[in-house]
Each structure stands twice: as C-alpha cells, then as structure tokens.
Amino acid sequence: MSFSLPETFAKLPRYPLLYPYPSPIHPLPALTRHLNHNPRSAPAVSLFAKREDHSSPLACAGNKYRKLEYIVPDILSNSSLHGPGERSEAKATTTLVTEGAIQSNHTVQVASVARRLGLEAIVILHKATGGGLTASSDKDVFLRTGNVQIARLLGAEVRMLEDSSTVDNSDPITPILEGLRAQGKVPYWIPSGASLHPLGGLGYARCAFEIAAQEKEQLGENGRFDYVFVACGSGSTVGGLIAGFKLLQKIEAQRQDENAERVIGRKVIGILNSPTKPREYHEGRVLNFARRAAYLIGLDPERDVTPEDVQLDDRFAGTAYGELDQTSKKTLAFLAQEEGVIVDPVYTVKVMRGVMHWVQVGELIRDWSRRLESSPSEGRVNALFIHTGGQSALSAYADIE
C-alpha cells in the first residue's frame, strides 16, 4: 500500500527503519462485542488496533522508530543542526546518548538504531522516574530484566542514576556528554521519547497519512476512523498525529471545496500515563509539539493547530508512571484472554482502559453527537487504538500472572 505526502512534507529527509509496508490494522471483535452491550443503542462503536509493535524489523518494534526515521538523517550529517552543542569542525557522530525510566522502551529502540548505524549507544536510566521500581515485588528482577536486559544484549552501555532529571547546566547528563567529547567521541543527544528533539513529531504526522490510506481497506471507500486513541507520555506521538490529521483535513476540505473547519476531522485522544504533572502541563507540551510539526510539514502552526485540537485524558494515569495497579492488571488480562492481544504495562494498558471507559459509559457517542451537532441515529463510529509496543518490559513485572 502506498500513499503520497504533500510536496513540502515529502521533501523532508527520512531514513527507513520500518518495514516497507504499513503496520497492520485489525478489528478487535471480542472487545467490540463486549463494550457494545446494548444492541439497540445506535450508533454502535467498532474498535480496531493499529499495531506499531509490528512496524519494524528492529528490536522491540514500537512508536519510537517512526520518530527516529526523521532524526537519523540529522545524526548522519557531519554538520548536524539539531545535535547537542556546537561543533568546531565537522565530525561524524560516534555515540548515541539517550535517557529514560528503568524499563524505557525508547532507550531500547535508540540502542537498536545505533546498532543499525554502526554507532555506540549509552543508555542512561533514572531509578527515581515513576513508581515501577518502588512498587516492584522483586527490585533486582526489575533492574536487570525486560528492557534493561535487551539494551545490554544490543551492546548498549547502561548507566543507572539515582535521581531523575533533564538536560540543563546542573544535571548529570551534561558531564556525561562532556566526558565523551574529552575522549574524542562525538555524542548525539536524543531526549527521552525523542519528543524534545525538533524533528520528533514528524514520524507520527506521516503516520496519520498511513492511517488514512488504510481506512479504505478496513472500512470501505467512505469509511474513516473517527477517533484515534494513543498513549501520551513525552507527547510528540500525540502532537505529530494531530499535525498530520490537520493537514489531511485541510487537503480534504480543498477537494470538497469546503472550509477546513466545516470538515469533521479525525479526533486524537491522548491517554496520559503519568500523574506527576497536571493535564494542563501536558496539553501545553502537546500543542507545542503539534505546532512545531505543523510548521515543518507546510501548515500555518498558529492558525491551523489550536488548543481545541488537543484532548488529553488523565483519568487512567494511575498512582505513578510505570506502576501497574489492579485495574490495569485486569485490563491486561482481559485483552489477552479475550482478544489474544498483549499490551504493555506502562502505556498501552492505560490507553485500553481509556478506550473501554469512553465506549462503555457512552462518552464517545455523546462526544460524537456534539461533533455532528445532532443525535446520530444509525451507522457506526470507528475508533482506532494505536498499540505503541512495549511488551518487552513485561518480564520485569514479576507479579503479573
């Protein structure tokens, strides 16, 4: 399946890390039947999954590979525009450096990309990020299995820090980068989740076009996914999708000779996975990421992407990032036993809790009615759950049965 991008977007350099075909979309029939418990209610909601965990041949496929496709050309450029610090002379990158929580999926995918590019990888893991380690019944297992084990198998140097921080003049990351430079190496810093990287949202802006191309195959000529549910951690996956779908909405409006605001677009709902920061903080970040991606792909970021385009739900974040509560355990087991689909314990299990709630209590249909400015009496509403991967962390959660 092929799809085309507008000229401005298509010209942006991208290094292929994914399979040469879209990650699959498939229906979730058991979940659809379970949640549409009243057959007389209309419209019914049909649920589908887009399997980003099947998107790449590289280790532990997941959403970060899409982001990294647009970052790799900058990594390979001897005069990088977006790497850390200024270079006095053009030198090729030798080492990818990134950070995350102990069971970070992002760090594994960066380490795998380093292997593909023939580079070294240093993975910095923060013990204090989230509650996964604190809540673990076997902390030794949590610190050496799952994604930690895989990062080491990939040849990454894993460094564990006691505190949690981001790069600034006083944190522990800057001395690590300076130490590498003192050894004659050329490090390239990739922020956690790749979201703070200027190119971090482009991969999922492109994914929006991929989803649109798959709609005809799954839903027929005029079908579309009315809602897209996805995890919101660092934020650029959500921001990129918003930018991509806004560009699609504008293109569709031009084809229909309509004002873009009159065309009902696909609605992205980000499910937050951490209660550490308030929802408003994440909304501001996602809006910034969406506008940054929008500018790069040819939109007017201020006019075409508005705060109303950002909808985040913080009701399923639980008590801490990375901590698996009883409700999430039940959701994980339900999806495994009813659909044969395994979600991860940090991100996608919370997204699935959100999807189930939105459908089961009627929130999705009420929202759809508001968007139509009328009460829908027939037809179906199509909702897409984006599975961003992460199952490789499951072995670290020793108390899951």
Side-chain angles (χ1 to χ4, degrees):
M1 177 186 296
S2 62
F3 57 91
S4 59
L5 298 173
E7 184 178 3
T8 299
F9 196 171
K11 286 182 177 179
L12 296 172
R14 181 175 67 93
Y15 183 98
L17 297 172
L18 307 182
Y19 288 117
Y21 44 82
S23 64
I25 291 177
H26 63 82
L28 295 168
L31 191 61
T32 296
R33 288 192 300 271
H34 174 75
L35 296 178
N36 288 284
H37 50 80
N38 183 0
R40 296 181 180 178
S41 64
V45 179
S46 295
L47 296 170
F48 297 79
K50 182 165 176 63
R51 302 301 296 272
E52 293 293 85
D53 57 328
H54 294 178
S55 64
S56 173
L58 297 179
C60 307
N63 63 319
K64 304 307 186 294
Y65 286 124
R66 279 195 193 270
K67 301 181 184 185
L68 291 166
E69 283 196 315
Y70 282 95
I71 295 173
V72 168
D74 192 60
I75 293 171
L76 297 178
S77 171
N78 290 351
S79 56
S80 168
L81 298 176
H82 304 293
E86 297 183 3
R87 299 178 184 175
S88 57
E89 57 182 288
K91 292 183 179 180
T93 296
T94 64
T95 311
L96 301 187
V97 185
T98 194
E99 68 174 347
I102 294 296
Q103 288 298 328
S104 164
N105 307 313
H106 163 77
T107 56
V108 165
Q109 291 172 56
V110 170
S112 184
V113 168
R115 294 296 87 197
R116 170 61 63 89
L117 301 178
L119 303 176
E120 298 174 343
I122 295 179
V123 166
I124 302 163
L125 302 178
H126 297 283
K127 290 184 178 181
T129 297
L133 177 61
T134 302
S136 176
S137 60
D138 192 329
K139 292 177 174 52
D140 178 63
V141 167
F142 198 87
L143 288 170
R144 63 181 174 81
T145 61
N147 284 324
V148 179
Q149 180 184 35
I150 294 170
R152 287 179 170 140
L153 280 171
L154 289 166
E157 178 186 340
V158 176
R159 303 185 187 184
M160 293 192 182
L161 302 182
E162 296 296 332
D163 66 343
S164 177
S165 55
T166 55
V167 171
D168 58 36
N169 291 330
S170 61
D171 80 335
I173 306 298
T174 300
I176 291 173
L177 299 177
E178 291 174 348
L180 291 169
R181 294 188 188 104
Q183 297 171 31
K185 297 182 178 182
V186 182
Y188 188 101
W189 170 250
I190 301 176
S192 179
S195 287
L196 291 175
H197 194 288
L199 306 175
L202 291 175
Y204 274 87
R206 186 176 190 274
C207 185
F209 281 78
E210 181 175 299
I211 291 169
Q214 290 175 287
E215 286 173 335
K216 291 182 181 180
E217 181 180 277
Q218 290 288 334
L219 305 172
E221 185 66 28
N222 297 315
R224 70 163 49 191
F225 293 111
D226 307 294
Y227 290 84
V228 178
F229 288 86
V230 65
C232 184
S234 56
S236 63
T237 298
V238 181
L241 283 169
I242 291 170
F245 283 130
K246 292 296 287 188
L247 180 54
L248 273 165
Q249 184 177 349
K250 191 171 186 177
I251 292 169
E252 290 165 355
Q254 291 170 349
R255 289 173 182 165
Q256 299 172 27
D257 197 23
E258 287 272 6
N259 186 314
E261 294 179 359
R262 295 175 60 87
V263 175
I264 298 177
R266 303 157 184 87
K267 185 169 184 175
V268 179
I269 298 176
I271 304 296
L272 289 167
N273 58 74
S274 172
T276 305
K277 300 278 189 180
R279 188 185 71 249
E280 293 77 13
Y281 166 84
H282 292 283
E283 288 171 342
R285 277 172 62 99
V286 170
L287 180 61
N288 287 336
F289 296 150
R291 283 177 166 169
R292 188 167 64 191
Y295 172 77
L296 292 172
I297 64 178
L299 289 171
D300 181 323
E302 299 295 324
R303 184 184 65 193
D304 293 329
V305 181
T306 69
E308 289 71 31
D309 294 317
V310 179
Q311 177 151 0
L312 304 182
D313 194 332
D314 60 359
R315 292 173 293 175
F316 313 100
T319 53
Y321 170 85
E323 188 172 321
L324 194 62
D325 59 24
Q326 288 302 316
T327 304
S328 292
K329 288 180 183 178
K330 290 178 181 178
T331 303
L332 196 154
F334 176 85
L335 199 63
Q337 293 164 20
E338 296 298 323
E339 286 285 0
V341 172
I342 302 296
V343 292
D344 85 287
V346 179
Y347 296 96
T348 50
V349 70
K350 294 180 179 181
V351 180
M352 186 50 66
R353 283 178 59 186
V355 171
M356 293 173 71
H357 175 88
W358 272 73
V359 176
Q360 203 156 30
V361 305
E363 282 189 31
L364 191 146
I365 293 302
R366 289 194 294 273
D367 186 82
W368 182 240
S369 298
R370 286 192 295 270
R371 293 172 68 193
L372 292 180
E373 298 181 347
S374 65
S375 296
S377 58
E378 59 183 18
R380 301 187 75 85
V381 179
N382 299 305
L384 182 67
F385 155 65
I386 297 188
H387 193 323
T388 51
Q391 301 98 314
S392 51
L394 275 169
S395 63
Y397 288 77
D399 56 343
I400 295 178
E401 297 180 356

